Amino acid sequence: MQTLHPMKILVVVTMVLALAGCTSLPSSAELDQQTVAAMKASFRDQGIAKVDRLNQDLGQRACSSPVAPGDDVVKRIESESMATIKWPTGGRYLGDWREGEKLAQNGRGMTWTDASAAPKDNGANCYNCHQIDKKEISFGTIGPSLWNYGKLRGVRDPGDAAAAPILQYTWGKLWNSKAYAACSNMPRFGHMQLLDEDQLRHLMALLLDPKSPVNQ
């Protein structure tokens, strides 16, 4: 009598189980639900980091899907994001570029070890994704270089009406980046309450003030 090799037995058993399970495989939607449930079960509230960070809005869901969102979804994300932008009080867009540089260099904030989630305790961490100053020897390349940001866009006097479109675009981009690019990876500083109005003004000055080292 011929004895089957253990490996052959394993292959046969695997095929039988696979065939038996073909009629009861979970659907894609069910697998998605199981994945979400597994993720939520794997995290807990820890300090200021709460499990509600796992909840995704439309933009996050659409842009983390293996299938790129269609044009209609992209337009909806951008339209809804644009509606969230809060324009600066009194139309005052610029603050102090020196404070803006400090924020750009600061990567602290929003981790479970931080005592507070208040904007005053957060940095902007701009150098993690962008080149901003030619003197910097370490910067990220996820985002485009912001060197000469205002100068290249012709902003000689931020108070001039001609500069208004660039000021508005830049403020909006900082407030909610998805208003201009549905799947933007840039933090939504204003919308997510990561930075307050004054902090955003300081970043605006870093980028657009002709006296800022960025524009020299």
Side-chain angles (χ1 to χ4, degrees):
M1 180 177 178
Q2 184 178 8
T3 302
L4 289 176
H5 189 279
M7 185 56 70
K8 291 183 178 179
I9 295 175
L10 178 61
V11 171
V12 171
V13 171
T14 301
M15 291 176 64
V16 170
L17 291 175
L19 289 172
C22 281
T23 57
S24 59
L25 288 175
S27 67
S28 177
E30 289 172 330
L31 288 173
D32 287 343
Q33 292 175 351
Q34 292 172 15
T35 300
V36 170
M39 284 189 62
K40 290 188 174 181
S42 300
F43 292 89
R44 66 179 186 278
D45 289 351
Q46 187 77 24
I48 65 169
K50 310 299 183 184
V51 293
D52 60 5
R53 293 185 181 185
L54 296 174
N55 299 331
Q56 294 183 312
D57 58 25
L58 173 63
Q60 291 167 326
R61 288 195 306 273
C63 297
S64 61
S65 169
V67 180
D71 290 344
D72 56 335
V73 176
V74 167
K75 290 178 182 177
R76 179 183 167 190
I77 294 169
E78 293 177 353
S79 175
E80 291 180 359
S81 298
M82 182 66 73
T84 71
I85 296 174
K86 179 183 176 183
W87 302 103
T89 303
R92 187 167 63 89
Y93 283 92
L94 267 61
D96 185 342
W97 65 260
R98 298 169 187 81
E99 294 300 318
E101 174 64 15
K102 292 177 185 176
L103 285 165
Q105 295 276 8
N106 185 354
R108 292 299 307 166
M110 303 305 292
T111 67
W112 67 270
T113 57
D114 290 304
S116 168
K120 67 180 180 61
D121 296 313
N122 298 332
N125 203 19
C126 303
Y127 280 103
N128 195 47
C129 297
H130 302 279
Q131 178 191 35
I132 301 178
D133 193 321
K134 286 289 188 180
K135 296 190 297 295
E136 286 295 324
I137 60 173
S138 177
F139 50 83
T141 56
I142 295 175
S145 172
L146 300 177
W147 171 246
N148 276 182
Y149 180 87
K151 189 175 183 178
L152 290 172
R153 289 160 178 78
V155 180
R156 297 179 177 84
D157 177 6
D160 191 321
I166 296 300
L167 267 68
Q168 292 167 2
Y169 165 78
T170 307
W171 181 274
K173 188 75 172 180
L174 289 169
W175 190 277
N176 191 340
S177 60
K178 289 185 179 295
Y180 301 92
C183 291
S184 172
N185 290 320
M186 183 170 166
R188 296 175 285 176
F189 291 112
H191 178 60
M192 301 304 290
Q193 300 180 357
L194 303 176
L195 300 176
D196 61 27
E197 273 197 35
D198 284 336
Q199 289 169 316
L200 291 179
R201 287 189 183 96
H202 297 327
L203 290 179
M204 290 282 290
L206 178 66
L207 295 172
L208 293 162
D209 190 331
K211 296 178 182 177
S212 166
V214 168
N215 293 310
Q216 301 308 309

